[in-house]
Amino acid sequence: MSLSSRRSGAGDAAFLVGSQVLASLLLFATGVFVARALGPRGKGFYDIVVGSATLLATVTGLAMPSGVFFRVSRGGVDIRRLMAVSVLVAVAAGALSVSVLWFGGSYRWIGWMLPDSDPRRAAVLIGVVLLAIQAQQLIQAAAKGRGCFRAFAASELLAKGGLAAAAAILLAVGAKAPPAYLAALAASTAVAVIFLISAAGAGPATGGALPLAAMFWYSLPLFLGNIVQFLNYRLDIFLVKNFLGLGAVGTYTVAVWLAQTIWLAPTQLGSLVLRTVAEQGDSAAVLTYVARVNRFCLALSVCLAVVLAVVGTFGITRIFGRGFQGSVVPLLLLLPGVVLFSSTIIFSAYLNGIERQAYTTWVACGSLVITVGANLLLVPRIGVPGAAITSTLSYGASTVATLLIVRRLAPEFTLADFLVPRRSDIAAVVLGLRGAVGRLRVPASAAAEP
């Protein structure tokens, strides 16, 4: 990789990490507002709706965001037509899900996804949130594939800032109904999607192709893996709901949400990794870059985990309310697994970039066995802490398996190359920050000069 490429990549990374720090603060504020307004049971209702909508978006989406991102990264795609099709797909997925839940919600094999005994109300709420989530995933994939990382970051801040503001207003006026907060989530996401369509689709028409078939065939090997990975992330909240009730879900999801804020930076840096590998192919230089990104993410995750452990231990009840005292222990149990899993995010992006998607699917399937077995064993016996222990075991197993696969593909790299931070990593971060700040200071007129 050239020096200019490294500087550009480091600058994009610094920009994305900075925006995700702000996004995490907005998410934190939203979580506090929702928890204080709704309490554990109401927050459990909110989280089950969001969880079900995300699950259905994963099923109906057929992993297409991955194919969109990969093919757009290769170039030659008509971005405007792609975005139009993406919105239509999201609308169709929302309508289909509402229909299935509306007429099938009374059946037990569907009812486990619903938060209460009113399947029709829940069906509409889940469908609306699903539409917004599906459109956001597809449009973000297109924007990031095109390299519009600043527009993506701005849209993320717009979505999360809008939701935080709406939740604060609802709390101030005394709103206690979860549907009001879910409507705010869907509305803020929709506004961010419209902004991103305008920003990423700006400029002259590309005149490129719309390779939907190629996107589908790239995504297909990832489809099962995405579903399995989602179940690894979220199956526990449905099991907690069915064994312990909505109040326990609200208590547990505060811990999960706090712990998983650690993944905000690795997730966005994983997008950079995938785009770099898709553009430049598999080489020692590219894998050296991937190793550096992973070392940075792992070190950052450890630092954030320490902060969260301290804040969680002494501040959860003060921040979220006394009803969330039960979130402290699950948070502490989750943190080790969440830190380890940041490496899985980076290395999975690398494997997907070299079109070894099957490996990530098999890893996810193995982890799901742990997730299902340990949750069924521990949750009925020790409650919410059992779900947290299960997640940490599953995340840790995923990281070990993914790291072994990458080592097998690149035996010339040692474990220390992937895991132990170096002084050069700090220098790269500083260089990226300087580049990002410098570009922000460049006047628009100067930036337009050849």
Side-chain angles (χ1 to χ4, degrees):
M1 299 175 67
S2 66
L3 178 60
S4 61
S5 296
R6 289 197 299 269
R7 286 178 174 171
S8 176
D12 285 338
F15 196 89
L16 284 175
V17 170
S19 68
Q20 288 306 304
V21 169
L22 294 177
S24 67
L25 293 175
L26 292 170
L27 276 174
F28 182 81
T30 300
V32 172
F33 299 148
V34 172
R36 283 195 166 274
L38 303 180
R41 181 174 175 80
K43 189 174 185 304
F45 182 105
Y46 177 96
D47 291 326
I48 289 294
V49 168
V50 174
S52 295
T54 308
L55 171 59
L56 291 171
T58 303
V59 172
T60 59
L62 300 174
M64 280 296 285
S66 299
V68 168
F69 181 82
F70 183 80
R71 290 298 168 181
V72 173
S73 295
R74 290 283 180 91
V77 175
D78 188 327
I79 201 74
R80 294 181 182 176
R81 288 173 60 203
L82 176 61
M83 288 182 170
V85 170
S86 296
V87 172
L88 292 176
V89 168
V91 171
L96 175 63
S97 298
V98 169
S99 299
V100 171
L101 295 174
W102 185 282
F103 295 105
S106 58
Y107 295 100
R108 187 173 182 179
W109 59 279
I110 291 179
W112 62 270
M113 291 190 294
L114 304 178
D116 60 13
S117 57
D118 186 350
R120 294 187 172 180
R121 178 179 72 156
V124 173
L125 290 171
I126 292 170
V128 170
V129 174
L130 181 154
L131 192 161
I133 291 173
Q134 186 87 290
Q136 183 183 47
Q137 290 175 346
L138 290 167
I139 299 300
Q140 285 183 343
K144 289 191 291 184
R146 201 180 190 192
C148 300
F149 291 107
R150 293 190 183 189
F152 161 77
S155 74
E156 279 282 274
L157 293 176
L158 181 60
K160 292 176 173 59
L163 177 57
I169 293 171
L170 290 170
L171 175 63
V173 300
K176 301 291 186 182
Y181 295 84
L182 291 163
L185 169 62
S188 62
T189 303
V191 170
V193 168
I194 293 170
F195 165 82
L196 191 55
I197 290 174
S198 175
T206 63
L210 188 61
L212 295 178
M215 293 173 181
F216 172 78
W217 288 114
Y218 176 87
S219 301
L220 189 60
L222 292 168
F223 176 51
L224 175 61
N226 281 5
I227 294 176
V228 172
Q229 198 64 273
F230 175 86
L231 293 175
N232 278 323
Y233 292 159
R234 290 290 180 267
L235 180 63
D236 49 3
I237 69 170
F238 295 106
L239 291 173
V240 168
K241 167 190 170 269
N242 284 280
F243 282 122
L244 306 175
L246 283 174
V249 173
T251 298
Y252 179 54
T253 52
V254 163
V256 171
W257 171 77
L258 283 172
Q260 291 183 355
T261 56
I262 290 173
W263 291 344
L264 288 171
T267 298
Q268 302 314 320
L269 292 178
S271 298
L272 284 178
V273 166
L274 177 54
R275 190 169 191 269
T276 299
V277 177
E279 284 183 328
Q280 303 186 28
D282 188 18
S283 67
V286 169
L287 193 52
T288 298
Y289 162 76
V290 174
R292 173 177 289 176
V293 172
N294 185 70
R295 294 194 302 265
F296 169 75
C297 283
L298 195 57
L300 177 64
S301 297
V302 170
C303 294
L304 291 175
V306 172
V307 172
L308 284 173
V310 174
V311 172
T313 299
F314 298 103
I316 278 183
T317 55
R318 291 184 177 90
I319 297 170
F320 293 93
R322 294 183 180 275
F324 293 91
Q325 175 64 42
S327 301
V328 176
V329 171
L331 172 63
L332 298 178
L333 293 172
L334 280 165
L335 287 175
V338 169
V339 168
L340 289 172
F341 197 79
S342 63
S343 291
T344 299
I345 294 171
I346 300 300
F347 289 129
S348 293
Y350 166 72
L351 292 171
N352 291 341
I354 62 173
E355 300 190 61
R356 301 292 183 90
Q357 307 96 307
Y359 285 124
T360 59
T361 298
W362 284 114
V363 169
C365 289
S367 299
L368 182 60
V369 173
I370 297 174
T371 297
V372 174
N375 267 311
L376 292 175
L377 178 67
L378 297 177
V379 170
R381 290 168 174 79
I382 61 176
V384 170
I389 293 170
T390 297
S391 293
T392 285
L393 291 174
S394 177
Y395 297 155
S398 293
T399 298
V400 171
T402 306
L403 184 56
L404 289 175
I405 290 170
V406 175
R407 282 274 291 117
R408 183 179 179 183
L409 295 174
E412 67 274 19
F413 286 80
T414 66
L415 288 175
D417 291 330
F418 291 128
L419 302 176
V420 181
R422 301 174 181 176
R423 291 184 179 180
S424 60
D425 300 337
I426 299 175
V429 172
V430 172
L431 177 65
L433 289 172
R434 286 178 177 174
V437 173
R439 285 196 294 273
L440 288 173
R441 290 177 177 174
V442 173
S445 58
E449 295 177 1

